[in-house]
Amino acid sequence: MKNTKIMVFSLKDIIRSTVLFVTGLIILLFIIFMFLPKNDQEVQSSKYIPGEYTSEIILNDSKINVVVVVDEYEILDVLLLDLNETQEVFYPLLKPTMVALSESIIRNQSTSVETSAISIETTKILLTAVDDALSKAIIIK
């Protein structure tokens, strides 16, 4: 019993510590709930005007349309329109490059995608057209 120590606290100190602890806890909870999102609409504010937006690519005096389909929150589809057989023969990388880009753009929800080393110029042309179409859909805040 030589090592037994008795600690004495005054009731005033215990009450003061308890009140400070509870007050701090209430303030912390208040701050946490103030910054939590209320619902999904507030978390993800709309960034596009829903619809289909087109951009033209002109290759040897023939037009090819790139169409981007968006809803309020995301890119839904990216397509090539008006691509005829002659253009497919003269530009064989156009269609497969667009398919790969479309998948990447939809997955990443951005035109910042990795480009194929095989079709660098085709990718640049298509990404420029997609960016142009998306610029028509973006809501400026």
Side-chain angles (χ1 to χ4, degrees):
M1 291 254 202
K2 293 180 180 179
N3 294 334
T4 304
K5 293 183 181 180
I6 297 175
M7 299 177 72
V8 178
F9 296 103
S10 68
L11 185 59
K12 184 171 120 180
D13 289 338
I14 293 173
I15 292 173
R16 183 183 313 144
S17 297
T18 305
V19 168
L20 286 174
F21 175 76
V22 170
T23 305
L25 188 61
I26 290 171
I27 291 172
L28 181 65
L29 290 174
F30 177 76
I31 290 172
I32 289 172
F33 285 115
M34 286 297 294
F35 291 106
L36 283 178
K38 303 293 186 259
N39 57 32
D40 288 345
Q41 290 291 333
E42 288 182 13
V43 172
Q44 192 176 28
S45 62
S46 63
K47 58 182 183 179
Y48 299 116
I49 301 169
E52 294 182 3
Y53 298 91
T54 61
S55 179
E56 286 185 341
I57 300 173
I58 299 175
L59 299 171
N60 287 345
D61 297 328
S62 59
K63 295 179 183 178
I64 302 169
N65 288 321
V66 174
V67 178
V68 178
V69 181
V70 296
D71 67 4
E72 288 183 20
Y73 308 109
E74 62 185 356
I75 302 169
L76 299 175
D77 204 0
V78 181
L79 322 154
L80 274 179
L81 290 183
D82 306 327
L83 184 65
N84 60 39
E85 290 178 18
T86 307
Q87 292 166 329
E88 281 190 58
V89 170
F90 283 112
Y91 305 104
L93 293 176
L94 202 60
K95 193 172 184 178
T97 302
M98 190 61 183
V99 170
L101 280 177
S102 176
E103 291 170 0
S104 296
I105 290 169
I106 293 169
R107 184 176 51 250
N108 297 332
Q109 290 300 307
S110 169
T111 56
S112 300
V113 294
E114 292 184 25
T115 59
S116 170
I118 298 171
S119 58
I120 294 172
E121 291 302 317
T122 305
T123 302
K124 286 180 185 178
I125 292 169
L126 291 173
L127 282 177
T128 302
V130 171
D131 281 334
D132 183 45
L134 274 177
S135 69
K136 299 172 187 174
I138 293 176
I139 295 175
I140 300 172
K141 291 185 179 184

